[in-house]
Every structure is written in structure tokens, then in C-alpha cells.
Amino acid sequence: MKLQRKNRLRATALGALAVSGALVLTACGSDDNTGAEAEGGKTSAAASNIKCDGAEGQLRASGSSAQKNAMDLWVKNYMAACSGVEINYSSSSSGEGIVAFNQGTVGFAGSDSALKPEEVTESKKICKTGQGINLPMVGGPIAVGFHVEGVDKLTLDAPTLAKIFDSKIKKWNDPAIAALNEGVKLPAKDIQAFHRSEDSGTTQNLGKYLAAAAPSDWKYEAEKKWPAPGGQAASGSSGVASQVKAVDGSIGYFELSYAKSQDITTVDINTGGAAPVEATSENASKAIAAAKVKGTGKDLALDLDYTTKAEGAYPLVLVTYEVVCDTGNKADTLGTVKSFLGYTASADGQKVLTDADYAPIPEAINSKVREAIAGLK
């Protein structure tokens, strides 16, 4: 049963990855089982729950590559239900998404970090009567994937991860790694650490975790740009995952769906709790459930606890926000933005996340997200 579930999840992620990164999709000829049925214009139960009212034309969006696999599935399901509507999500990076949003070229942006104060100020030029707000939509673990021939299980803690990514630990048989992996035969092989080449919310969330959980070993500000010397860069989560898959002795960070789709083994994290914690959507949900809303008004930016030692809570998590104008959205895309994001925040939309190795947003928070979407103007 466990093997069957693993294969099913891997197949789901692979199917998502097969969709174009730019996602210019049409509903015509869709074979999605959750979409519209051809006979008599009837729809399946899942598709019939998608409300297409007010949606029309093309909606452009861009940003976070962390949510790409979820966005692929959302777009496919939504466009199968809402004929004549085209959703174009360009998976680039959180930084590029925010730039596009504040330039007014997209209806919403995906970002793995909440807007900075200066970005909110800039958004007022586009939103006119309002400002950009953060709507948490996708949760999940940042998996630390590794590829070391002969090693199929590995436990690390925050200080050790910090030293690896800061080029302070350079060999796989370093005493600090060995101490966390008793009985594991570690080779005297160079560590090849990969990081994102472009501004990335995933990088920023990794930095927040390391700064909070290993403050003595990670002295860098948590920014979207990779801060530490050394290591090797790759583009996007998919690029980092591909390098880890290909290079013996490598380690890198990316969303769990990328690890699943490329069959990359992930690190268990020693949080100081009763046992090391595996990177799973369920374990990430336990950590995200403890988050507090720090935004005001319709802004729902979250404060995550990266130092949790709660049993089974995987601390290295991120939340991807959809960034929209609270008021002042463009009239020609407002209806589609509300309709599409209404679906992604719905029970059906959030269920997709679990199937694709993400973590749904806890209902206490998600109910506020749905309320905010309904009130967009």
C-alpha cells in the first residue's frame, strides 16, 4: 500500500511537471477527469463546484516556482470547468512575480515571501485606490534533497545544514554529519551544495529557518538573493532538483513535489524533539497550523515558527502567497481573479495540494482568505 501511494504521488507530480512552465492552456479537448464532461454539457462533481461567474478572457500571472506543480493542476481543473477563460501562469521566481505585479503586467503574483513595506508602497501606484495584499494559498515543506551514492537515509540539524550551505562543512564524512547518523557509512567525498541563481522566496524561507534555528552558524540576512559564498547555482526549484539528481555528492533545497517527481531522497531534520522529522506535507501542516497572522486588514501575511520542536512538525516550511490588490484591480481581469482564486482557496482547490505533496492552508486561516477574495474590488 505504501509503495502504491508513493507511485501514485510520483505520477501526479510527474503529470504536473509535464505541463508547460508558461501554462498557456485551453479547455478544448481536455481529458481531465475533474473537468467538464463532453456529453450534454454536464460536469463532474469537482468541476461543478468551480464558480465561473464573472470570469472571461485571459488572465496573466507570474511568480513563485515553488507553487508551479500546484498551479499546473489548478489551471487545468479550472479551465476545464470555465470554457472561454485562459489562465497563463508564468513560473519564474517570487522576485520576478512581484516586479511584474508592481509594473501592472499581471493580475496577481505568486510569492513565497510576504511583500516588503517598500513593495507595498510601490503597489499603490498600480492598485490606485488600494494596495497589494498577501493571501496565503499554498503551504509545504522545503525539502533538502541529497544524492550520495550508497547513502539512502540522512539526518541533519539546523547548525549542520547552515555550515554545509555556508561552505564550512565540505566533506560528507565530516564529524558533525557522522554524529547525527550513527551506523551510516559516509564517504570521504566533497559536498556539492546547490542553491538558486535568481531571487527566490524559497531561498529567503531557508534563510529564515537557518537564522532562527541556527543563529550562531548562519549570520546572513534572510533575503531572496543567495547570500553565502561558494556552492553552485541553478535556475528555479526544478533546476536545483535536476542538479541534485545528476550529481553524486550533491545537496540542495526545493519543494517536496520536485523531490517526488525526480525520485530524490530527502533529509530528515533533527529539531531537538523526540525523533528526526521527515519532509512530508502532513508534517509541514503541523508546523503551519501554529502560524499567526501578522498582516492587518485584508492582508494575511503569516508569522511562521521555524524553531518548533513539536512532535512530527517539520520546521523548514514555506507558504506561497497570491499577491493581489485589495481594491483597484483592473476591471477586465477582476472577475477572473476572484473566480480563479476563489477556486484555489476552496475545499476542492486545497485538496489538490495534498495529492501533489503540498500542504493545505489550515482552515482557520483559509476561511479568512476566502473572505478577502470575495471582497476584492
Side-chain angles (χ1 to χ4, degrees), residues 28 79 104 111 123 271 297 317 328 335 346:
C28 300
M79 291 179 55
S111 177
S123 73
T271 64
V317 296
S346 70

mmCIF file of all heavy atoms in Angstrom, residues 28 79 104 111 123 271 297 317 328 335 346:
data_model
loop_
_atom_site.group_PDB
_atom_site.id
_atom_site.type_symbol
_atom_site.label_atom_id
_atom_site.label_comp_id
_atom_site.label_asym_id
_atom_site.label_seq_id
_atom_site.Cartn_x
_atom_site.Cartn_y
_atom_site.Cartn_z
ATOM 1 N N CYS A 28 -10.338 23.318 -24.488
ATOM 2 C CA CYS A 28 -10.730 22.451 -25.605
ATOM 3 C C CYS A 28 -9.973 21.145 -25.563
ATOM 4 O O CYS A 28 -8.759 21.116 -25.446
ATOM 5 C CB CYS A 28 -10.457 23.164 -26.920
ATOM 6 S SG CYS A 28 -11.368 24.718 -27.108
ATOM 7 N N MET A 79 -9.794 25.577 -16.011
ATOM 8 C CA MET A 79 -10.103 25.862 -17.406
ATOM 9 C C MET A 79 -10.975 24.781 -18.034
ATOM 10 O O MET A 79 -11.684 25.032 -19.008
ATOM 11 C CB MET A 79 -8.806 26.079 -18.192
ATOM 12 C CG MET A 79 -8.113 27.371 -17.770
ATOM 13 S SD MET A 79 -6.561 27.674 -18.649
ATOM 14 C CE MET A 79 -7.113 27.596 -20.324
ATOM 15 N N GLY A 104 2.240 46.241 -13.176
ATOM 16 C CA GLY A 104 0.883 46.168 -13.710
ATOM 17 C C GLY A 104 0.710 45.245 -14.887
ATOM 18 O O GLY A 104 -0.278 45.349 -15.613
ATOM 19 N N SER A 111 4.205 34.605 -4.581
ATOM 20 C CA SER A 111 5.445 34.911 -3.864
ATOM 21 C C SER A 111 5.559 34.058 -2.614
ATOM 22 O O SER A 111 4.597 33.913 -1.855
ATOM 23 C CB SER A 111 5.505 36.388 -3.475
ATOM 24 O OG SER A 111 6.684 36.666 -2.727
ATOM 25 N N SER A 123 3.211 49.186 -4.771
ATOM 26 C CA SER A 123 1.992 48.596 -5.330
ATOM 27 C C SER A 123 0.843 49.600 -5.396
ATOM 28 O O SER A 123 -0.079 49.439 -6.203
ATOM 29 C CB SER A 123 1.559 47.382 -4.496
ATOM 30 O OG SER A 123 1.003 47.779 -3.244
ATOM 31 N N THR A 271 15.139 18.285 15.053
ATOM 32 C CA THR A 271 14.700 19.564 15.611
ATOM 33 C C THR A 271 15.020 19.696 17.089
ATOM 34 O O THR A 271 14.778 20.756 17.679
ATOM 35 C CB THR A 271 13.184 19.729 15.447
ATOM 36 O OG1 THR A 271 12.517 18.712 16.220
ATOM 37 C CG2 THR A 271 12.774 19.619 13.983
ATOM 38 N N GLY A 297 -5.827 44.223 8.365
ATOM 39 C CA GLY A 297 -6.892 44.368 7.380
ATOM 40 C C GLY A 297 -7.055 43.100 6.566
ATOM 41 O O GLY A 297 -7.112 41.999 7.111
ATOM 42 N N VAL A 317 9.550 25.104 6.422
ATOM 43 C CA VAL A 317 8.350 25.222 5.597
ATOM 44 C C VAL A 317 8.311 26.584 4.907
ATOM 45 O O VAL A 317 9.015 27.516 5.296
ATOM 46 C CB VAL A 317 7.065 25.047 6.441
ATOM 47 C CG1 VAL A 317 7.001 23.651 7.027
ATOM 48 C CG2 VAL A 317 6.987 26.101 7.545
ATOM 49 N N GLY A 328 -8.898 48.399 -6.419
ATOM 50 C CA GLY A 328 -8.187 48.979 -7.548
ATOM 51 C C GLY A 328 -7.696 47.967 -8.554
ATOM 52 O O GLY A 328 -6.852 48.287 -9.401
ATOM 53 N N GLY A 335 -12.960 39.959 -12.354
ATOM 54 C CA GLY A 335 -13.864 38.823 -12.248
ATOM 55 C C GLY A 335 -13.136 37.493 -12.319
ATOM 56 O O GLY A 335 -13.432 36.561 -11.560
ATOM 57 N N SER A 346 -10.800 27.166 -2.293
ATOM 58 C CA SER A 346 -11.947 26.334 -1.920
ATOM 59 C C SER A 346 -11.490 24.984 -1.381
ATOM 60 O O SER A 346 -10.322 24.615 -1.469
ATOM 61 C CB SER A 346 -12.837 26.108 -3.146
ATOM 62 O OG SER A 346 -12.192 25.246 -4.090
#
